Amino acid sequence: ETGVTQSPTHLIKTRGQQVTLRCSSQSGHNTVSWYQQALGQGPQFIFQYYREEENGRGNFPPRFSGLQFPNYSSELNVNALELDDSALYLCASSLLQGLEAFFGQGTRLTVV
Amino acid sequence: EDQVTQSPEALRLQEGESSSLNCSYTVSGLRGLFWYRQDPGKGPEFLFTLYSAGEEKEKERLKATLTKKESFLHITAPKPEDSATYLCAVQPYNTDKLIFGTGTRLQVFP
């Protein structure tokens, strides 16, 4: 058991809607990263949060945004959903510049 | 550009038939190379981190090795429960992000 929990596990949204995904990091970890994994692909880095600030971002548009809270939990928000946003969204927790990142079970988002 | 390529894309083995998975990478300074196991619909499960060329790590039937350009995941006498997708990722210096390959889907038949 990694200790990283994500909610919800599954979600269906309509194109154009907004969605919020949640992640509780592993105890003792201060950094949360979010990844998008399309079917049959490896995870793609969206962004990372450390001490409630964005600490790096991948090639994702601004409609992907996030938050980190004082207890190190995090949210991923996606506005104006598109069909291509359908994917497994993964949260990983670690220590900053740590060399072990542990993933949650993911949230499967389907956009119809 | 930092990049990870895994091969083969898919591998079918008979139970007990040992084999190796390959992960080739190009990165502007390697902080660490990660191996994960992923079951369908689940998040990746951490297996190993390798830091420098020549390093090896073992866990049960799995052994990971690292050179300056590639890593191998050796599976000795696999069992059906080893069936999963195995993901390789690199972490460049000066960043905390992981760059993943597309994975190798391993199926082990009894």
Side-chain angles (χ1 to χ4, degrees), chain B residues 7-8 10 14 23 33 38 41 45 56-57 89 96 99 107 109:
Chain B
S7 62
Q14 201 73 33
C23 171
L33 184 140
Q38 187 174 29
E45 175 190 344
E56 299 182 352
K57 287 193 176 175
D96 282 289
I99 300 167
Q107 290 181 294
F109 294 91

Side-chain angles (χ1 to χ4, degrees), chain A residues 36-48:
Chain A
Q36 180 195 65
Q37 186 176 23
L39 205 59
Q41 301 298 313
Q44 298 290 316
F45 176 74
I46 303 174
F47 44 55
Q48 181 185 81

Side-chain angles (χ1 to χ4, degrees), chain A residues 36-110:
Chain A
Q36 180 195 65
Q37 186 176 23
L39 205 59
Q41 301 298 313
Q44 298 290 316
F45 176 74
I46 303 174
F47 44 55
Q48 181 185 81
Y49 278 82
Y50 170 68
R51 288 189 175 179
E52 304 174 53
E53 297 287 333
E54 189 177 287
N55 185 48
R57 188 177 183 92
N59 294 325
F60 282 81
R63 59 189 184 85
F64 285 79
S65 63
L67 285 172
Q68 187 182 30
F69 301 99
N71 65 355
Y72 304 130
S73 65
S74 178
E75 288 182 354
L76 164 66
N77 299 289
V78 187
N79 293 321
L81 283 166
E82 301 176 0
L83 297 179
D84 285 348
D85 294 334
S86 295
L88 182 67
Y89 287 86
L90 297 163
C91 165
S93 81
S94 63
L95 293 171
L96 188 66
Q97 298 188 359
L99 282 165
E100 290 183 354
F102 296 95
F103 285 83
Q105 79 281 12
T107 294
R108 170 69 63 187
L109 173 66
T110 303

Side-chain angles (χ1 to χ4, degrees), chain B residues 1-2 10 14 21 29-31 52 56 83 97:
Chain B
E1 183 184 350
D2 300 328
Q14 201 73 33
L21 282 54
L30 180 71
R31 177 182 285 167
S52 57
E56 299 182 352
S83 297
K97 73 177 183 182

Side-chain angles (χ1 to χ4, degrees), chain B residues 75-91:
Chain B
I75 303 178
T76 302
K79 299 182 177 182
E81 54 261 42
D82 294 322
S83 297
T85 295
Y86 290 84
L87 294 167
C88 172
V90 296
Q91 186 177 66

